[in-house]
Amino acid sequence: MNRKGTPVRTADRKISGGARRGAQKRKKIWGHIKITIATLVAAGFAILFLMPIILTITNSFMSATEISANYGSVFATSESGGKVYISEKVNLKFIPDMVSFSQYITVLFKSPDYLLKFWNSVVLVGPIVVFQLLVASLASFGFARYSGKLRQIVFFSYIILMLMPYQVTLVPNYLVADWLNILDTYWAIWLPGIFSPFAVYLLTKFMKRIPNSVVEAAQIDGAGEWQIYRRICMPLCKGALCSAAILVFIDYWNMVEQPLILLTDQETHPLSVFLSKINKGEIGLAFAVATIYMVPSLLVFLYGEEYLVEGITYQGGIKG
C-alpha cells in the first residue's frame, strides 16, 4: 500500500523499478560517452602539442640535403636580404628518407662552439637555481613566520615585481649592472636571477599552510628559529622546493633576452641564443642542437613530475 492507503499493484512497482534501472543505465552510458569524448579531445591536444617536439627529433636525423629540400623555402631570403613569400607548401616530414647522424657528429665532435654554448647554459642556470632556492627559502620563512605592515609592503612589492615581464626590468637591470661594473660577466645574469621573486612567492604561500601547532610543539621542545627552519619547514616544503626548482630551471634554461642585452660577448652566450638566431645554412644543425637542448629539461621534468604536482596541490600539514 502507498502512503494514502491505496494498494500498489505489483505491475506498477515493476514498471517504476524498470524505469529507474533504465534511467540509471542511460546515465551510466552517457557518463562513459562524456569520458570518451573528453579523452579523445585531450589526446588530440596532446598530439598537437607534441608534434613540434616529434618533428624536431625526427628531422634531426635527416641529411642536410633532405632538410634543405623540405624547409629551404622557409629560410630563403631575397637579394636585399629580406624574407621572401612562400609560394609553395612546406613539406613537413616526420620520417626521414634515410637516417643520418651527420648533424649530431658535427655538433658533438666537429664544432665545439655548440657544446661550449651548452655548457654556458649550464654555468648560467645552475647557480641561479641553487641560490635562488636558498635565498627564497630564507625569505619565505621570514614572511611566513612574522606579520606586520612592513612585511605586507615588502611581500606586495615581491608580487608586483613577479608580475612584471623580463622586458620591463631589462633596462633597470642593465643600468644596475653597469653601475656595479659587472656587464659582460655572468654576474649580470646571476644576480637578477638569484633574487627573483617567483620562488619567494611560491614558498611563502606553501609555508603559511604549515599548521601553527607543529611550530608551537617544536618551540615547546626548545627548538629555536633556525631549528624550526631546518628541521620542520624544509622537510615539509620538499615538494614545493622541487616544484620551484623545476619551474626556475625551465624558465632560465630558455632565456634569450637577458644574455642578448647583458652579455655582448657572443662566446658567453647560452645555447638558447643560438637557437633564436638560426641561419639558412644551419637548419639541420638547429634540429640536432634543439634535440640536445631539450634533453635536460625533459629529464628534470620527468624526474620531478611527482614533486611538481605535490608541491602545487599539497595543502600543508604532516602526512602520515
Side-chain angles (χ1 to χ4, degrees):
M1 300 182 63
N2 58 15
R3 294 181 179 179
K4 296 181 178 181
T6 305
V8 179
R9 296 179 181 178
T10 305
D12 293 339
R13 286 199 298 267
K14 289 181 179 180
I15 292 174
S16 60
R20 284 196 300 270
R21 286 193 297 269
Q24 292 175 356
K25 187 176 181 180
R26 287 193 297 271
K27 186 177 180 181
K28 188 176 181 181
I29 293 174
W30 178 241
H32 287 307
I33 292 174
K34 289 194 293 185
I35 293 174
T36 303
I37 293 174
T39 304
L40 292 176
V41 171
F45 278 107
I47 293 172
L48 184 64
F49 290 134
L50 288 175
M51 278 182 60
I53 298 176
I54 298 173
L55 187 69
T56 301
I57 295 174
T58 56
N59 284 198
S60 66
F61 293 101
M62 289 183 180
S63 62
T65 304
E66 187 177 357
I67 290 175
S68 179
N70 293 327
Y71 309 109
S73 59
V74 178
F75 299 92
T77 56
S78 61
E79 295 180 357
S80 60
K83 293 295 183 180
V84 297
Y85 175 74
I86 302 175
S87 58
E88 56 185 14
K89 294 182 179 180
V90 177
N91 184 23
L92 296 177
K93 292 188 65 175
F94 288 91
I95 301 177
D97 294 336
M98 184 177 64
V99 176
S100 173
F101 294 92
S102 59
Q103 314 294 350
Y104 288 98
I105 293 174
T106 302
V107 171
L108 297 175
F109 302 106
K110 294 183 179 180
S111 182
D113 292 339
Y114 302 112
L115 289 180
L116 176 63
K117 287 178 170 39
F118 179 87
W119 288 112
N120 285 344
S121 300
V122 175
V123 172
L124 284 171
V125 177
I128 290 177
V129 174
V130 173
F131 289 101
Q132 184 179 145
L133 291 182
L134 178 62
V135 172
S137 63
L138 293 170
S140 301
F141 180 74
F143 284 132
R145 291 280 294 127
Y146 305 102
S147 59
K149 284 190 176 181
L150 181 60
R151 179 260 184 201
Q152 294 177 352
I153 294 174
V154 175
F155 189 70
F156 181 74
S157 302
Y158 266 81
I159 296 176
I160 295 298
L161 290 174
M162 185 183 68
L163 295 177
M164 291 184 179
Y166 287 126
Q167 293 80 1
V168 175
T169 58
L170 270 177
V171 174
N173 286 340
Y174 181 89
L175 296 176
V176 172
D178 187 32
W179 180 68
L180 294 174
N181 199 24
I182 58 174
L183 278 177
D184 296 330
T185 65
Y186 288 147
W187 288 103
I189 305 294
W190 285 341
L191 289 180
I194 290 172
F195 296 99
S196 176
F198 170 73
V200 176
Y201 174 81
L202 182 65
L203 293 177
T204 299
K205 292 299 183 181
F206 194 90
M207 285 187 184
K208 290 181 70 175
R209 297 174 184 156
I210 298 176
N212 291 329
S213 58
V214 178
V215 178
E216 292 172 356
Q219 290 175 332
I220 292 174
D221 291 337
E225 294 297 328
W226 172 250
Q227 290 176 317
I228 294 174
Y229 164 79
R230 185 168 59 91
R231 296 187 177 182
I232 295 178
C233 289
M234 288 300 98
L236 291 177
C237 292
K238 182 180 178 181
L241 287 170
C242 292
S243 301
I246 294 171
L247 296 175
V248 170
F249 175 83
I250 294 176
D251 186 20
Y252 284 93
W253 188 253
N254 299 317
M255 63 180 172
V256 175
E257 295 91 348
Q258 300 96 313
L260 283 175
I261 300 299
L262 302 174
L263 301 176
T264 57
D265 186 6
Q266 294 187 2
E267 295 296 324
T268 60
H269 283 177
L271 197 55
S272 55
V273 174
F274 163 76
L275 292 174
S276 67
K277 299 186 296 184
I278 301 174
N279 297 321
K280 181 180 178 181
E282 299 173 329
I283 305 172
L285 294 178
F287 281 125
V289 173
T291 301
I292 296 173
Y293 198 64
M294 285 190 295
V295 171
S297 299
L298 291 175
L299 291 178
V300 168
F301 175 77
L302 293 175
Y303 176 77
E305 180 183 5
E306 181 180 351
Y307 294 111
L308 179 64
V309 176
E310 177 188 355
I312 294 176
T313 61
Y314 178 48
Q315 296 298 316
I318 299 177
K319 295 182 290 184

